[in-house]
Amino acid sequence: MSPPGRQPLLEVRDLRKHFPIRRGLLSRVSGWVRAVDGVSIDIFPGETLALVGESGSGKTTAGRCILRLMEPTAGAVRFDGQDLLALGPRDLRRMRRHLQVIFQDPYASLNPRMRVGTIVREPLDIHRVGRNRAERDAMTRGLLERVGLDASAMRRYPHEFSGGQRQRIGVARAIALRPRLIIADEPVSSLDVSVQAQVINLMLDLQEEYGVAYLFIAHDLAVVERIADRVAVMYLGRIVELGTRQEIFKNPLHPYTRALLQAIPIPDPTRARERTVLRGELPSPAAPPPGCRFHTRCPVVFEPCATLDPPLVEVAPGHWAACHLVPGPAGGASRP
Ligand code: SF4
């Protein structure tokens, strides 16, 4: 999945997270929820990889496993060549300096009892950046100004800010240590469309300035069109299509990607467009359908789909898809 000649900053291989279903007085394990079921992705320095799928597709769980906010069941995660899953608590803390997170809900992710200055300064305090508190306060003021907030925000509390301003505070905290990768979990989903654009512009500016890479998790392809360099589409715990933004938006191969694209509203109602409405709900990851996991909702399902699981194959350089209808692999590459 890597463009030739480039070294990934983050390599994720066959990542799995299965949660036990417990039943009865003895809490015996009666089954498994396969939230993430064999995800492999690379992220390169300074790029944005968008991870897109409906709610329940496993993308947030995948992000949490990569950050080790949750221990994966299996798989490998390497950051800058280091095996993240093998790190002890102290080395993991040190590594976190380079690997930060922005959460979806700017209302819940900021401690309401802490002043904004303390929230943004906290990572600098933990990693003992600067010579003293006065220096860290000066850095905090600079960070707040960089994300478009007045330095007076230092003394105020999160509830005194709007949703968009709170997400700017979250961004200021995430960039405080100049990380190399930020995992942004639905960072604009709870914001109005106009505010979404402002936060995305801010993230793009910071990427240009610091060269930070993003794993941008979203349920909506429309949101990632401006920010993504590459897009990975996830369905029921697996990647079903991965490619450059141009390829995914102009030449989507997987019927699920096409349905997600067709769900994007068109601003001009006179421009008609072919539209596929996805049938039914996302099946339970505790009992994924056999064969192609999408076959119960696929508008073009055909005979082998219910029994044969299509592998993720490279259809054109850098463009991968898992569907029996797509042409064979370019160069014979395939992923689990
Ligand atoms: Fe649809 Fe079959 Fe392709 Fe799955 S393999 S996406 S069911 S056509």
Side-chain angles (χ1 to χ4, degrees):
M1 283 184 194
S2 318
R6 285 176 73 196
Q7 244 341 63
L9 178 63
L10 181 82
E11 292 170 80
V12 177
R13 291 292 173 270
D14 203 16
L15 188 71
R16 290 168 199 266
K17 179 66 184 175
H18 299 171
F19 296 97
I21 304 167
R22 296 187 186 277
R23 290 239 164 80
L25 278 176
L26 298 173
S27 293
R28 287 222 172 86
V29 176
S30 62
W32 295 90
V33 174
R34 296 165 190 279
V36 179
D37 207 17
V39 164
S40 298
I41 49 172
D42 290 331
I43 300 180
F44 295 89
E47 81 157 348
T48 300
L49 176 71
L51 188 58
V52 180
E54 287 165 285
S55 167
S57 60
K59 53 199 191 307
T60 291
T61 306
R64 286 175 177 263
C65 288
I66 292 167
L67 284 162
R68 275 192 65 192
L69 296 175
M70 207 177 253
E71 290 301 322
T73 309
V77 180
R78 275 187 293 278
F79 180 78
D80 208 14
Q82 276 212 54
D83 181 357
L84 274 191
L85 304 185
L87 296 183
R90 188 192 285 182
D91 289 333
L92 188 61
R93 237 187 340 268
R94 215 172 287 146
M95 187 57 89
R96 286 247 164 85
R97 192 185 168 130
H98 306 293
L99 195 62
Q100 292 287 313
V101 60
I102 300 171
F103 292 104
Q104 171 178 7
D105 186 351
Y107 293 86
S109 60
L110 306 177
N111 187 332
R113 284 184 292 276
M114 277 164 81
R115 289 182 200 273
V116 165
T118 314
I119 291 172
V120 176
R121 202 189 60 232
E122 199 177 37
L124 302 172
D125 290 339
I126 291 171
H127 291 272
R128 299 203 182 95
V129 177
R131 275 173 301 187
N132 49 38
R133 162 88 183 261
E135 241 181 69
R136 289 194 283 274
D137 275 337
M139 288 177 199
T140 306
R141 270 192 294 280
L143 285 163
L144 287 169
E145 279 163 9
R146 181 61 198 84
V147 299
L149 293 171
D150 194 274
S152 67
M154 296 266 291
R155 294 186 301 279
R156 294 159 65 196
Y157 289 91
H159 74 265
E160 297 176 57
F161 294 87
S162 68
Q165 287 171 325
R166 286 186 216 203
Q167 203 51 300
R168 285 173 188 270
I169 296 166
V171 171
R173 187 185 152 96
I175 60 162
L177 296 166
R178 302 275 177 97
R180 300 180 66 198
L181 174 67
I182 293 178
I183 296 190
D185 185 6
E186 304 251 14
V188 297
S189 303
S190 61
L191 307 176
D192 291 345
V193 174
S194 62
V195 183
Q196 284 185 350
Q198 292 167 13
V199 173
I200 285 178
N201 286 343
L202 172 65
M203 290 178 69
L204 283 166
D205 289 348
L206 293 170
Q207 186 170 53
E208 207 174 302
E209 213 170 304
Y210 303 133
V212 63
Y214 295 123
L215 175 62
F216 192 101
I217 297 172
H219 63 265
D220 183 353
L221 270 169
V223 166
V224 307
E225 193 170 3
R226 277 211 61 222
I227 196 166
D229 295 302
R230 294 185 302 135
V231 180
V233 179
M234 201 164 166
Y235 187 80
L236 219 53
R238 291 195 182 158
I239 305 288
V240 294
E241 185 163 3
L242 187 148
T244 61
R245 176 187 55 194
Q246 291 82 353
E247 278 288 293
I248 294 292
F249 279 83
K250 295 267 173 325
N251 181 29
L253 297 173
H254 198 282
Y256 180 58
T257 312
R258 287 199 203 122
L260 289 181
L261 282 168
Q262 285 163 10
I264 298 176
I266 308 177
D268 177 1
T270 59
R271 269 174 59 214
R273 177 171 63 184
E274 184 195 343
R275 205 173 163 92
T276 307
V277 178
L278 280 176
R279 291 180 291 166
E281 298 289 311
L282 190 75
S284 165
C292 173
R293 291 181 175 201
F294 188 55
H295 86 260
T296 53
R297 301 169 80 197
C298 181
V300 289
V301 59
F302 66 118
E303 201 266 319
C305 304
T307 47
L308 288 179
D309 190 5
L312 186 63
V313 294
E314 191 170 28
V315 180
H319 193 167
W320 300 71
C323 171
H324 295 305
L325 282 176
V326 301
S334 73
R335 284 270 183 206

